[in-house]
Amino acid sequence: MTVQARARRPAPVLDLRDVTKVYGTGETAVHALQGVTLTVERGDFVAIMGASGSGKSTLMNIIGCLDAPNAGRYLLDGIDVAGLDERSLAILRNRRIGFVFQSFNLIPRMSAQANVELPLAYGGIKGADRRRRALAALREVGLADRTRHEPNELSGGQQQRVAVARALVTAPALLLADEPTGALDSGSTADVLGVFDRLALAGRTIIVITHEDDVAAHAKRVVRLVDGRIVEDVRRAPVTGPPPNVSWTTEGAR
Ligand code: ADP
Ligand code: MG
C-alpha cells in the first residue's frame, strides 16, 4: 500500500492499544483486561469469545464507552474517548454505537415503531423524518408488517429484531451486541443471526460478544479472550463493503 493510500484510508471503527482494566486495589485487585490491542475496520463482523470471567463484559463496557480503562488508548471512529466529558460521551454513544442486549430492553406497551423511534427522539429528530427512518430500520430487519405490535405480541426473535432496528436507526458506526441470542430458542436464534448476516453483507460493522460457537460461526473474524488477554484472532471471511480498494489486515493475529 502506498503512503498516499494509507493517508486516505478512513480511521478504523475501533482502535484499542494496550488497554488494561483493574477492579479494586492491592491484594484483592482483579486484572480484568491485561493489555488488549484490537483494531476493527469498517464493515467487519467480529465475534468476541471467552469463558465466563475472561473479561468479555469489561471489554464490551470499554468499547461501548460505558466504562473507562485504567491505562491504554481507545479511539472510537477516530475519536480519543479519554478526552471526553460525560455529556460528550453520551452524545458519542447515541450517535456512533447501536447497543443490542441479551434481554432486548424494549419498552413494554409501546409499539415496535415507537421503540425504534426512541433513540431518534433523544437525538432531537422529529415527526415524519423520525417515522420514516424507524420504518426503514424495521424493514431492514424484516419487520415492516409488525410496526404496531407491542413487545408482548412478538416472539423473542422478533423482539430482538426490533432491538436491532432500534440500534441501527441512528446509523451508528458500530453495532455492539452482548449475547444477543442468549435468551432465544434455536428458531429465534437462527432468525436473529440471519439478520446479522444480512447486515454484515451490507457492510455494517458488527461486534458480537458470545460464548456460543454457532453464533461465532456467522462472524468474519473470531477473537478469543483468556484471563483478560487476546489469545487468538482468526479471520474467517474478508471484510465486506465500502470503502473499496482498502485491504483488510489480521493485525493482532498470532
Ligand atoms: P466475562 O464477561 O467474560 O464473564 P467480566 O468482564 O465480567 O468477564 O469479568 C472479568 C473479571 O473481572 C472477572 O474475574 C470478574 O469477577 C471481574 N469483575 C468484573 N466486574 C467487576 C467489578 N465491578 N468489580 C470487581 N471485579 C469485577
Ligand atoms: Mg459477561
Side-chain angles (χ1 to χ4, degrees):
M1 190 192 294
T2 66
V3 171
Q4 209 174 12
R6 190 182 292 276
R8 265 189 273 114
R9 184 177 176 160
V13 173
L14 221 72
D15 190 357
L16 293 137
R17 303 268 173 85
D18 218 15
V19 163
T20 64
K21 180 71 188 180
V22 184
Y23 294 110
T25 53
E27 302 239 311
T28 56
V30 177
H31 297 266
L33 295 179
Q34 311 199 57
V36 168
T37 296
L38 179 67
T39 307
V40 175
E41 303 291 340
R42 226 160 284 275
D44 209 351
F45 178 4
V46 182
I48 297 178
M49 302 197 72
S52 174
S54 59
K56 300 185 300 297
S57 294
T58 302
L59 183 57
M60 151 115 185
N61 288 341
I62 288 172
I63 291 172
C65 304
L66 300 164
D67 200 0
N70 291 93
R73 205 172 67 122
Y74 173 30
L75 304 190
L76 169 62
D77 217 11
I79 298 163
D80 191 342
V81 171
L84 303 178
D85 59 20
E86 268 310 313
R87 196 185 127 73
S88 308
L89 268 182
I91 292 170
L92 188 77
R93 273 197 298 269
N94 181 269
R95 304 247 171 96
R96 315 237 178 197
I97 305 176
F99 291 94
V100 176
F101 302 98
Q102 177 169 347
S103 51
F104 323 140
N105 294 5
L106 298 177
I107 313 274
R109 288 180 295 282
M110 251 174 85
S111 69
Q113 171 88 24
N115 267 283
V116 175
E117 283 185 27
L118 266 186
L120 296 177
Y122 295 141
I125 293 157
K126 302 216 157 57
D129 190 27
R130 191 161 91 197
R131 284 193 294 279
R132 183 183 54 74
R133 285 172 63 176
L135 183 59
L138 282 163
R139 200 175 291 128
E140 203 170 342
V141 300
L143 287 177
D145 57 346
R146 293 287 188 280
T147 60
R148 288 168 184 279
H149 286 61
E150 294 178 3
N152 67 357
E153 299 166 336
L154 297 168
S155 72
Q158 288 170 335
Q159 288 183 62
Q160 192 60 301
R161 280 151 68 193
V162 173
V164 171
R166 180 184 57 186
L168 288 177
V169 77
T170 53
L174 173 66
L175 194 67
L176 185 56
D178 189 12
E179 299 283 1
T181 60
L184 301 176
D185 61 34
S186 57
S188 285
T189 293
D191 205 22
V192 168
L193 290 176
V195 169
F196 278 95
D197 285 343
R198 265 188 286 139
L199 297 174
L201 211 57
R204 299 271 192 181
T205 310
I206 305 171
I207 296 180
V208 175
I209 311 242
T210 184
H211 66 272
E212 294 173 71
D213 288 321
D214 3 338
V215 175
H218 286 253
K220 297 170 186 167
R221 177 181 170 195
V222 179
V223 171
R224 213 170 285 274
L225 280 179
V226 173
D227 294 338
R229 288 195 178 90
I230 294 179
V231 297
E232 194 178 75
D233 186 345
V234 176
R235 175 153 305 282
R236 303 176 56 255
V239 177
T240 350
N245 305 322
V246 171
S247 64
W248 50 270
T249 70
T250 49
E251 192 183 313
R254 59 199 81 171

